[in-house]
Amino acid sequence: MRVKSKTENLSVIRDFVSENALNAGIPMTKVEDIMLAVDEACTNIIKHAYKLSPEGEIKISINYNKEKFTITIIDYGKSFQPETVPLPDLQKYYREHKVGGLGIYLMKSLMDDVKYTSVPGKYNKVLLSKNIGES
């Protein structure tokens, strides 16, 4: 799937992800986690990689087998180094009534594996994986 970097496309992305996840036999509770993680990743791409420009492109592909469901998200915007983002102090965050800034934390909390690759000037790739096999 390819979409322009517009917030209006987030619902199209969510539908694409949920349809594939349900086809893979993933229970709805896990599907909701996956959709939220993908939504966070794509929102970050729109806001940070493309600086809200609606002309950027986001490519999303999905692969799965009976053990793992993986979403690959590629953009061609500004690169980002997730290891430079510290873990949030959630109590402080709550006390200060902050909004936003929890995307990476949420993705890592909701998914079993999150990998980020950046080739500055070329592309950024996020791999979000959820284990779906018997545990």
Side-chain angles (χ1 to χ4, degrees):
M1 161 184 252
R2 292 173 189 248
V3 296
K4 289 293 186 185
S5 57
K6 300 176 183 177
T7 54
E8 303 94 87
N9 286 330
L10 292 172
S11 63
V12 175
I13 295 166
R14 282 192 296 271
D15 290 346
F16 175 69
V17 170
S18 67
E19 183 180 322
N20 278 278
L22 290 169
N23 286 343
I26 299 172
M28 195 60 196
T29 53
K30 282 188 177 184
V31 172
E32 289 169 353
D33 289 351
I34 293 166
M35 286 190 329
L36 181 54
V38 170
D39 201 67
E40 286 294 328
C42 292
T43 299
N44 282 348
I45 289 167
I46 292 167
K47 285 167 89 172
H48 303 294
Y50 289 125
K51 303 284 186 205
L52 300 175
S53 166
E55 293 308 309
E57 183 179 62
I58 301 172
K59 289 178 21 179
I60 299 159
S61 60
I62 294 173
N63 291 298
Y64 60 88
N65 56 34
K66 60 186 180 189
E67 275 110 44
K68 190 181 277 193
F69 185 86
T70 302
I71 305 102
T72 303
I73 305 167
I74 296 175
D75 72 80
Y76 304 94
K78 185 175 182 252
S79 64
F80 169 67
Q81 303 306 323
E83 63 276 0
T84 63
V85 178
L87 281 174
D89 177 339
L90 293 178
Q91 290 178 345
K92 180 180 177 192
Y93 189 92
Y94 180 73
R95 279 194 310 272
E96 295 177 1
H97 304 287
K98 288 189 174 186
V99 176
L102 293 178
I104 294 170
Y105 173 78
L106 272 174
M107 285 184 269
K108 288 182 175 179
S109 298
L110 295 167
M111 301 301 285
D112 294 307
D113 193 26
V114 177
K115 288 191 174 95
Y116 185 86
T117 308
S118 180
V119 179
K122 297 202 176 198
Y123 68 88
N124 303 300
K125 178 166 56 174
V126 181
L127 283 153
L128 300 169
S129 298
K130 190 76 164 170
N131 297 332
I132 57 175
E134 300 300 317
S135 26

